[in-house]
DNA sequence: CTGAAAGCGCTTACAG
DNA sequence: CTGAAAGCGCTTACAG
């Protein structure tokens, strides 16, 4: 149907370069040993003809599809697009393309969609975003199909597949230290959604940093949130209404931190003059708010790049060649310093223990 | 390489059903006339074998790739993922898959990436998101390649291709009427980014609604914004500091409306008691803020579905069969009523003219 | 309404 | 280091 200009095939390139199709194929796949002179001839022909290999033919004939699948479930707003950014960057560099799909419905639907997805697209590998990556039945389906897969920030069953993550614990630990370095002793914390492992790790990092600095944290300084703006608003309202109001509030994500900022305004308090606020994630909101949030930049794009690289390298295709270091990729985070955190000079904290 | 279970091919299905491969192919493509009895036999065999056609083979042999491309440039946070949601839904229903890519860099890079994308993926059609869809050179490249494409909310050169959009003008008109119905006469407006057509249309809708209600709008009630939270904050600060403070503020998008809410708090004003605030888009933020925003729900997912349907239908492949009604698809918006807008009973407006 | 043949554009063995 | 042959799993004409 499609009115297309005459397709340039490997045959045309071969003729132009005066070699066989086979040789062209070898050059294109950075394969085997080809003499430099023929390699040059072939590459020139490719250039002149502006030749692009037909991906379908490659898929059908070979073992690789040059497609990588991205499957997700219900991630927070903007997470997918930020992830895609990094994934596409790496794909571009290596001739791959991303096929994206969302798994919806109940457990059975998700399993069926996963199976159909790998069967029809024949992707070389699949990347699973949280929380989909924590559904054992989905992982089993993928294993049965023989399709390699990488998980992003998984929470359970870490032995099930290679994965890429960041160190939530360490990040929260360092952020808490940052607050302490700035002179804060009365630091409140808003916990993330209880069904996510990251919430637990961030909370633990906070607690341990306080402990190693011998700072006490009264129970009323800990509030349970759910990663939503609304839950942050409720938590902040309680915290800011306390008689022993904290001088700093550490929210487990930026949405909640943004809510803390709003709540402070409602209470007639200035950020960071009256209360410092820090978040986690470095989403777009964090830097568009006023004051912009000191936060932890979650390296979503870098995690995507690492995942693509794992699949592309082919390491996942053979259990035996898969080394320990390929199994767990921890990507560095970054503590981003902005105006929402201010050094507290007067140590008027009522309960400073250290 | 990939350790896969023995692939079930069309041949297996044909044998099981006791027919030729050709007949199986016909059934699968809802093609031609096949007798009901053979159709049933084939479908049963497909079921029993859990057969999925190999998409690569289909692509190579046939004219369709069963892939649809999504190309974008630099859309606002969450726009892509929201668009994908709708697109994937429709794809699932018809055996298609989405191949996503981002065009980066300068004009030449974008053109080259567009060309390479269609050449290597052989997608059946491309969907272009704004603002990429307004680059003439990209459109030309696509035309030359013979790949059909649909644009989403284009701003220029509307004759260049079929497109899907919503009526920004009408939406702003209706929202303004909503404010007027609620008794507001002193209504301020924050304009969107000047480089986007939607900004112009929304502003015009606002002005015309006021005019047709014979309501005057002093120049100090109009502020230029840039669709960012920060620009909204600056605009709101000016508006709320006016001697003749408006009783309602209409921001051209939700991010700016959210900023207006924050600014109100900073000024010690309550929303909606002291000032009503309305936005545009209905992004996630709009309903997670407190108070949640009255806004216009932009039907991004529905626009995506319509675009997929256009490509899938094959209507775009033939200029002559393309009817006027296929060219411009306007999707309905929805005015979402929430707590940020309150009826103003006391008509204390100083300059009400009507 | 159904089928036998050819071919889509590559890559995988197998030779040399 | 290079090539001739076969085949990947489908669909497109062409017959009947």
């Amino acid at each position: 149907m499609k009115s297309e200009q005459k397709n340039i095939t490997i045959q045309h390139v071969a003729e132009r370069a005066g070699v066989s199709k086979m040789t062209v194929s070898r050059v294109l796949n950075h394969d085997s040993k080809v003499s430099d002179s023929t390699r040059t001839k072939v590459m020139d022909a490719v250039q002149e003809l502006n030749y692009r290999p037909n991906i379908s033919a490659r898929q059908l004939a070979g073992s690789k599809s040059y497609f990588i699948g991205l499957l997700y479930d219900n991630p927070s707003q903007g997470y997918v697009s930020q992830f895609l950014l990094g994934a596409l960057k790496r794909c571009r560099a290596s001739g791959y393309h991303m096929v994206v799909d969302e798994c919806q419905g109940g457990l059975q639907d998700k399993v069926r969609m996963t199976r159909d997805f790998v069967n029809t697209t024949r992707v070389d590998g699949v990347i699973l975003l949280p929380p989909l990556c924590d559904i054992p039945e989905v992982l089993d389906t993928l294993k049965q199909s023989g399709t390699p897969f990488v998980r992003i920030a998984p929470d359970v069953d870490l032995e099930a597949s290679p994965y890429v993550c960041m160190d939530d614990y360490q990040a929260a630990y360092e952020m808490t230290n940052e607050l302490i370095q700035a002179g804060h002793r009365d630091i409140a914390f808003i916990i993330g959604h209880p069904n996510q492992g990251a919430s637990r790790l961030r909370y633990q990092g906070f607690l341990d940093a306080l402990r190693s600095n011998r700072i006490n944290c009264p129970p009323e300084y800990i509030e349970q949130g759910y990663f939503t703006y609304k839950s942050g608003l409720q938590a902040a309202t309680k915290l800011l209404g306390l008689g022993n109001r904290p001088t700093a509030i550490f929210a487990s994500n930026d949405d909640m931190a943004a809510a803390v900022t709003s709540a402070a305004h409602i209470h007639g308090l200035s950020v960071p003059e009256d209360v410092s606020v820090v978040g986690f994630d470095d989403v777009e909101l964090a830097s568009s708010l006023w004051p912009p949030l000191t936060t932890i930049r979650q390296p979503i794009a870098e995690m995507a790049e690492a995942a693509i690289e794992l699949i592309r390298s082919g390491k996942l295709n053979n259990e035996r060649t898969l080394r320990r270091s390929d199994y767990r990729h921890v990507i560095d985070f970054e503590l981003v310093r902005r105006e929402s955190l201010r050094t507290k000079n007067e140590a008027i904290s009522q309960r400073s223990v250290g």
Side-chain angles (χ1 to χ4, degrees), chain A residues 165-167 297-300 302-303 330-334:
Chain A
C165 64
M166 67 165 284
D167 194 338
R297 199 178 71 81
Q298 216 192 135
I300 297 179
E302 286 85 345
M303 290 164 79
V330 183
I331 311 293
D332 286 342
F333 59 85
E334 185 188 348

Side-chain angles (χ1 to χ4, degrees), chain A residues 52-72:
Chain A
R52 309 284 167 208
N54 182 319
I55 212 165
S56 316
R58 275 189 153 175
Q59 277 179 250
L60 187 57
S63 55
K64 285 196 281 187
S65 73
Y66 296 90
F67 277 118
I68 292 176
L70 175 63
L71 247 34
Y72 60 92

Side-chain angles (χ1 to χ4, degrees), chain A residues 25-322:
Chain A
S25 176
R26 274 196 266 263
V27 171
L28 257 35
N29 291 292
H30 315 287
D31 239 28
S32 325
K33 304 129 227 298
V34 183
S35 78
D36 279 350
S37 62
T38 56
R39 177 183 304 279
T40 309
K41 276 191 297 185
V42 170
M43 289 310 285
D44 285 351
V46 166
Q47 281 279 324
E48 289 160 21
L49 265 33
N50 192 27
Y51 166 72
R52 309 284 167 208
N54 182 319
I55 212 165
S56 316
R58 275 189 153 175
Q59 277 179 250
L60 187 57
S63 55
K64 285 196 281 187
S65 73
Y66 296 90
F67 277 118
I68 292 176
L70 175 63
L71 247 34
Y72 60 92
D73 192 359
N74 180 31
S76 74
Q77 190 73 279
Y79 191 91
V80 173
S81 43
Q82 218 175 325
F83 190 91
L84 263 177
L85 220 73
L88 292 174
K89 181 181 166 196
R90 182 53 61 101
C91 281
R92 250 192 301 282
S94 44
Y96 277 72
H97 287 276
M98 295 295 296
V99 186
V100 182
D101 211 348
E102 197 201 20
C103 284
Q104 293 183 317
L107 178 60
Q108 289 313 315
D109 298 315
K110 285 172 182 167
V111 167
R112 186 179 41 71
M113 290 183 58
T114 302
R115 186 173 351 95
D116 287 359
F117 181 80
V118 294
N119 279 343
T120 55
T121 62
R122 320 271 159 137
V123 291
D124 288 340
V126 172
I127 300 176
L128 255 30
L129 259 34
L132 185 68
C133 66
D134 287 323
I135 302 179
E137 288 84 351
V138 169
L139 307 185
D140 287 344
T141 304
L142 248 19
K143 279 182 188 165
Q144 277 172 33
S145 78
T147 309
F149 62 99
V150 177
R151 293 187 293 162
I152 306 299
D155 186 26
V156 301
D157 207 3
L158 298 183
E159 304 298 310
S161 79
Y163 61 94
V164 181
C165 64
M166 67 165 284
D167 194 338
D168 284 283
Y169 172 88
Q170 183 64 25
Y173 190 97
E174 290 187 16
M175 179 62 91
T176 308
N177 258 334
E178 182 82 7
L179 289 167
I180 295 168
Q181 293 298 318
H184 293 280
R185 293 295 176 272
D186 304 317
I187 307 172
F189 189 83
I190 305 177
I191 308 174
H193 199 295
N195 74 358
Q196 287 180 240
S199 303
R200 208 170 49 242
L201 293 167
R202 292 174 193 180
Y203 183 37
Q204 197 59 51
F206 167 75
L207 289 178
D208 287 0
L210 285 189
R211 190 170 308 140
S212 63
N213 282 279
R214 299 204 197 157
I215 294 176
N216 185 31
C217 181
E220 66 267 28
Y221 276 13
I222 307 297
E223 283 290 336
Q224 178 70 56
Y226 299 91
F227 282 146
T228 63
Y229 186 94
K230 197 165 189 173
S231 71
L233 209 52
Q234 289 169 341
T237 302
K238 286 194 201 166
L239 294 172
L240 296 172
L242 291 173
N244 54 341
R245 200 181 65 219
T247 65
I249 298 179
F250 182 177
S252 288
N253 78 346
D254 288 339
D255 286 2
M256 298 197 296
V260 174
T261 304
S262 296
H265 292 148
I266 296 172
H267 277 73
L269 300 170
S270 290
V271 176
E273 288 78 3
D274 299 313
V275 58
S276 284
V277 178
V278 301
F280 204 109
D281 283 351
D282 198 24
V283 297
E284 198 177 42
L285 180 68
S287 51
S288 57
L289 276 181
W290 194 259
L293 294 172
T294 288
T295 188
I296 298 288
R297 199 178 71 81
Q298 216 192 135
I300 297 179
E302 286 85 345
M303 290 164 79
E305 289 190 56
I308 297 286
E309 195 49 34
L310 262 177
I311 292 174
R312 205 193 59 75
S313 72
K315 285 179 186 166
L316 306 187
N317 296 314
N318 196 331
E319 291 274 348
R320 285 160 310 194
T321 64
L322 200 60

